[in-house]
Amino acid sequence: MKVRVPLNRASRLLNHGPTVLVTSFYKGRPNVQTVAWNMPLDYAPPKVALVIGSDNYSYECITKTGEFVINIPSQKLLEKTVQCGTISGRKVDKFKKFKLTPIPAKKVKAPLIKECIGHLECRLIKSRVTKDFDLFLADVVYAWAEEGTFTDRWLIEKEKAKTIHHLGGEYFTFPGKIKIRKW
Ligand SMILES: Cc1cc2nc3c(=O)[nH]c(=O)nc-3n(C[C@H](O)[C@H](O)[C@H](O)COP(=O)(O)O)c2cc1C
C-alpha cells in the first residue's frame, strides 16, 4: 500500500541520490526511462532537478505534457531499472515488455510504477534550462512511499527500503549502515 509523504519531507526521498524511473504519459500511453542524474532543489514547496537527454523519447513526452513522476525502485528492481535505461519507449511499451504495473497518480496523468517504493509527482517548471544542458526543473505536487519503508527518512536498514545507486557504467551499490548524528 502507498502512503502519502508530506510535501515538506519529499526532498528526503531523493536526498541520498537514488537512481530513479521517470514516467510520463503521452499520446495515450505511458513511458518510463531510468535517470541517475537527479537531485532535490528545495524543501518547501519542494522542487527537483534532473537531466533528460534530448534524444530520449521521455524528453518529448515530458516537454509536450509538462508532467512526470519520479519513481524510486528498490534493489529488487535492479534488472528492470537497467532494462528501462537501455531501450527507448518510442516504439516499445516498456511497461508491457518489462512487466511493470502503471497505477494512477493523484495530481498528474503520468502513472506511478506499483513495484517502486517511492514516488514524486512533478509538474515541469522549465525544460532545457539553458540551451547547452538538458536540465529539467520541476515542482513536486504530491509524494508517496510504500508503507513500512519511509517515516521521516528511508528505513534503509530494511531490505525492502534499500534503493539503487549508480556508480557509473555497470557498477551499482545499495545503502549500508545508518548512523544518527544529532545536530
Ligand atoms: C543506470 C542508468 C542511468 C541513466 N541515467 C540517465 C540520466 O540521468 N539521464 C538520461 O537522460 N538518461 C539516463 N539513462 C539513459 C536513459 O534511461 C535511456 O537513454 C533510455 O533508453 C531512454 O528511454 P526513452 O527513449 O524511452 O525516454 C540512464 C541509463 C541507465 C541504465
Side-chain angles (χ1 to χ4, degrees), residues 59-70:
Y59 183 97
E60 185 180 338
C61 300
I62 294 170
T63 48
K64 290 281 175 12
T65 59
E67 294 183 345
F68 60 94
V69 177
I70 296 175

Side-chain angles (χ1 to χ4, degrees), residues 94-164:
K94 290 190 243 183
F95 277 87
K96 289 202 176 116
K97 189 169 175 67
F98 302 128
K99 297 193 168 53
L100 292 168
T101 315
I103 56 172
K106 182 99 169 169
K107 304 253 182 176
V108 298
K109 289 213 177 72
L112 312 185
I113 298 175
K114 188 178 173 197
E115 291 79 6
C116 286
I117 56 171
H119 315 269
L120 297 98
E121 300 185 18
C122 299
R123 285 214 184 97
L124 196 59
I125 300 170
K126 199 164 174 25
S127 58
R128 218 157 199 213
V129 175
T130 73
K131 69 177 173 42
D132 298 325
F133 300 101
D134 296 333
L135 181 64
F136 283 47
L137 307 184
D139 286 309
V140 179
V141 294
Y142 207 85
W144 307 84
E146 187 66 32
E147 196 173 31
T149 63
F150 186 93
T151 50
D152 62 341
R153 63 163 174 92
W154 282 115
L155 302 174
I156 56 134
E157 57 274 43
K158 295 187 180 181
E159 287 301 305
K160 66 178 179 180
K162 287 197 189 293
T163 43
I164 297 169

Side-chain angles (χ1 to χ4, degrees), residues 38-52:
N38 66 79
M39 63 182 280
L41 268 190
D42 209 343
Y43 298 103
K47 293 181 178 35
V48 291
L50 63 174
V51 173
I52 306 271

Side-chain angles (χ1 to χ4, degrees), residues 12-99:
R12 292 192 180 189
L13 294 169
L14 294 181
N15 207 83
H16 62 321
T19 294
V20 300
L21 292 170
V22 173
T23 53
S24 47
F25 189 86
Y26 181 51
K27 292 189 173 165
R29 71 177 176 92
N31 189 38
V32 47
Q33 89 147 80
T34 308
V35 170
W37 292 354
N38 66 79
M39 63 182 280
L41 268 190
D42 209 343
Y43 298 103
K47 293 181 178 35
V48 291
L50 63 174
V51 173
I52 306 271
S54 54
D55 292 342
N56 297 349
Y57 182 51
S58 299
Y59 183 97
E60 185 180 338
C61 300
I62 294 170
T63 48
K64 290 281 175 12
T65 59
E67 294 183 345
F68 60 94
V69 177
I70 296 175
N71 297 272
I72 303 169
S74 73
Q75 56 181 351
K76 245 179 32 185
L77 242 57
L78 177 62
E79 189 57 30
K80 294 182 188 200
T81 299
V82 173
Q83 287 169 328
C84 288
T86 43
I87 66 165
S88 176
R90 209 174 288 279
K91 297 214 170 97
V92 174
D93 183 335
K94 290 190 243 183
F95 277 87
K96 289 202 176 116
K97 189 169 175 67
F98 302 128
K99 297 193 168 53

